[in-house]
Amino acid sequence: MKLSELLAFVTVVETGNITQAAERLNRVQSSISHRIRSLEENLDVVLLDRKTEGCSLTAQGKILYEYALKILNLANDCRNNISHSKNSQLNVRIGVIECLSPYIISALIDLGHDLGWHINI
């Protein structure tokens, strides 16, 4: 199961239509259909009742839909936390001269580590 397959599935459910889901995701209709079929083959179930007026969930599709929403939300939360931690990381480079007392350097390093800084000397 891939996130892109789950996203395609959720979008089809929300739009009720493979064509509209493809438009929303900026994909071709065959790509969305392929992702849904891949999910169905992987799970060995039919997830959607496909009709000319649109798609509706089967009983197994309803189960996957609830899990897919949770998985996609967790993936977005994870992505946001990683991005936030990457952007909030502070790297400090300190150049030192030989006559600077070692205890001053040590104190700077200790202070930086206490503040969560990554210090390169």
Side-chain angles (χ1 to χ4, degrees):
M1 229 179 290
K2 298 177 183 175
L3 289 177
S4 61
E5 294 171 346
L6 294 175
L7 179 60
F9 173 71
V10 166
T11 307
V12 168
V13 172
E14 290 174 352
T15 61
N17 184 298
I18 291 175
T19 302
Q20 289 177 7
E23 289 173 9
R24 183 182 290 181
L25 296 172
N26 294 317
R27 301 276 184 254
V28 294
Q29 183 178 346
S30 60
S31 171
I32 302 301
S33 293
H34 174 74
R35 291 168 198 231
I36 302 299
R37 274 194 309 277
S38 178
L39 273 174
E40 290 176 327
E41 288 171 8
N42 187 0
L43 296 170
D44 194 29
V45 296
V46 174
L47 298 169
L48 298 169
D49 284 325
R50 295 162 178 88
K51 299 178 183 169
T52 55
E53 61 272 3
C55 298
S56 61
L57 288 170
T58 63
Q60 293 82 15
K62 289 177 184 177
I63 294 169
L64 179 62
Y65 180 70
E66 294 301 319
Y67 278 103
L69 289 175
K70 292 174 187 176
I71 291 167
L72 292 172
N73 284 333
L74 282 171
N76 284 333
D77 189 41
C78 177
R79 191 177 298 115
N80 290 338
N81 282 331
I82 289 172
S83 177
H84 176 71
S85 70
K86 184 175 78 173
N87 293 336
S88 66
Q89 183 179 9
L90 177 62
N91 290 319
V92 178
R93 295 188 70 122
I94 300 174
V96 296
I97 55 176
E98 293 175 14
C99 65
L100 193 59
S101 300
Y103 77 91
I104 293 175
I105 296 169
S106 180
L108 285 172
I109 292 171
D110 290 341
L111 175 63
H113 284 284
D114 290 344
L115 295 172
W117 296 354
H118 177 74
I119 300 175
N120 292 321
I121 298 177

